Amino acid sequence: MPGARKIIIDTDPGQDDAVAILAAFASPELDVLAITAVAGNVGLHHTERNARAICELAGRRDMRVFAGCDRPTRRPLMEARHVHGETGLDGPDLPPPTMPLQPEHAVDVIIEILRTEPSGSVTLAALGPLTNIATALGRAPDIASRIAEIVFMGGAYFELGNVTPVAEFNIYVDPDAAADVFACGAKITSMPLDVTHRALATPERVSAFQAAGNPAGAAISQLTAFRDRQDPERYGGIGVPLHDPCVIAYLLEPDLFAGRFVNLEVETGSELTRGMTVADWWRRTDRQPNATFMREIDAEGYFRLLAERIARL
Ligand code: RIB
Ligand code: CA
């Protein structure tokens, strides 16, 4: 599609990552230049394989998938197999992928794409720990000014944490990488738990994916069943948050979200509050605003968009 927005999807699939990637493939407004896998929900050998399996599910054997960092920048990896399953894609029985994993390291590819595409033309859609992106920025600081926008799922402020009392998983796994990304100077937009916890995949919304009548819809209805992860007290209703597709939905329909341009920092020193993101929502400090922190979501519109796009696959 002429004028499609060029994006790199950096991801740790991951059930919700899978839905996000499928929605991106279904959207001609987006030109997915590459998928770069990172360790997070499960180890890198699973996340890169899952990324290829998701590409094949969408009929995108042409997509270039790269493996990136297999551990956080400065800490050991903490996975979320209890959430996403041993392979990271519990639910559908996807066949092992046969499309190739590209040989280049994902970090090198992120740098190369940002240096060769016109400056300001490529957006980074980050769905997992920010390890690959921070490593690329550290190795090639010149790319920061060439990034159109970094839109990431991660963080929490008013909502508190999902992996500790105060930290969201993607940031908790690699808080040092998050700190480096938040300080890089690029345009940054965060999709924190403050919005994703209001994007609940209810049984009705899950059945809308099934109604697509295609393999992607069937797989997504299995990926989002999450029956064992209901927590009405936590989420204020039936259903389980569908985090990562918020990044893609924002790229497609930004008006589904609302937030504020604030200073966003992350705790990296304290083990008690490691990975806590601190949004200076009321500008209590003189720290310069560096990120748009989203706090509102039109959940009905979000799931309408996702269901409509998935039906196109
Ligand atoms: O906290 C939710 C995030 O952590 C999502 O990106 C999910 O896929 C996991 O990576
Ligand atoms: Ca993810």
Side-chain angles (χ1 to χ4, degrees), residues 137-153:
L137 286 163
R139 198 176 297 169
D142 60 287
I143 64 174
S145 62
R146 303 182 62 86
I147 299 168
E149 185 173 8
I150 300 172
V151 187
F152 73 94
M153 190 278 135

Side-chain angles (χ1 to χ4, degrees), residues 62-307:
D62 63 300
M63 181 50 55
R64 298 192 304 156
V65 177
F66 302 88
C69 299
D70 64 0
R71 74 202 64 193
T73 52
R74 302 177 184 74
R75 299 165 189 264
L77 176 62
M78 189 195 91
E79 301 177 17
R81 279 173 284 170
H82 62 291
V83 172
H84 296 266
E86 280 304 310
T87 68
L89 274 188
D90 265 13
D93 184 16
L94 299 181
T98 58
M99 64 184 280
L101 174 70
Q102 299 301 312
E104 297 87 351
H105 192 286
V107 170
D108 296 331
V109 171
I110 290 170
I111 295 169
E112 185 258 339
I113 289 174
L114 286 168
R115 283 178 170 166
T116 53
E117 292 292 335
S119 183
S121 68
V122 177
T123 294
L124 304 184
L127 312 181
L130 294 168
T131 312
N132 284 345
I133 295 173
T135 304
L137 286 163
R139 198 176 297 169
D142 60 287
I143 64 174
S145 62
R146 303 182 62 86
I147 299 168
E149 185 173 8
I150 300 172
V151 187
F152 73 94
M153 190 278 135
Y157 187 57
F158 299 95
E159 179 62 19
L160 299 179
N162 62 354
V163 70
T164 77
V166 293
E168 177 278 326
F169 178 82
N170 287 337
I171 307 302
Y172 180 78
V173 167
D174 199 340
D176 310 285
D180 293 345
V181 170
F182 293 2
C184 79
K187 181 181 179 183
I188 292 174
T189 302
S190 77
M191 292 290 153
L193 298 182
D194 303 75
V195 293
T196 69
H197 276 188
R198 294 160 62 188
L200 299 184
T202 64
E204 297 74 25
R205 290 166 174 168
V206 169
S207 61
F209 292 125
Q210 179 80 38
N214 57 23
I220 290 177
S221 66
Q222 293 168 309
L223 285 164
T224 56
F226 302 133
R227 270 175 293 280
D228 57 343
R229 287 172 25 214
Q230 304 275 3
D231 189 349
E233 182 188 10
R234 172 77 202 258
Y235 303 127
I238 293 297
V240 176
L242 198 52
H243 305 283
D244 291 337
C246 285
V247 171
I248 304 304
Y250 166 79
L251 295 174
L252 296 172
E253 291 189 17
D255 291 344
L256 288 172
F257 303 91
R260 186 180 290 183
F261 185 55
V262 296
N263 176 266
L264 186 67
E265 304 285 348
V266 56
E267 174 61 54
T268 57
S270 156
E271 275 312 306
L272 176 63
T273 55
R274 157 192 166 184
M276 177 179 184
T277 48
V278 180
D280 188 2
W281 191 261
W282 298 111
R283 298 188 171 82
R284 286 288 178 270
T285 75
D286 59 1
R287 295 196 295 260
Q288 288 307 300
N290 60 336
T292 297
F293 187 88
M294 291 299 184
R295 194 176 175 193
E296 304 293 335
I297 180 173
D298 169 0
E300 282 303 321
Y302 171 65
F303 280 95
R304 167 192 50 71
L305 173 65
L306 289 183

Side-chain angles (χ1 to χ4, degrees), residues 12 17 41 127-128 244:
D12 64 334
D17 303 69
N41 284 317
L127 312 181
D244 291 337

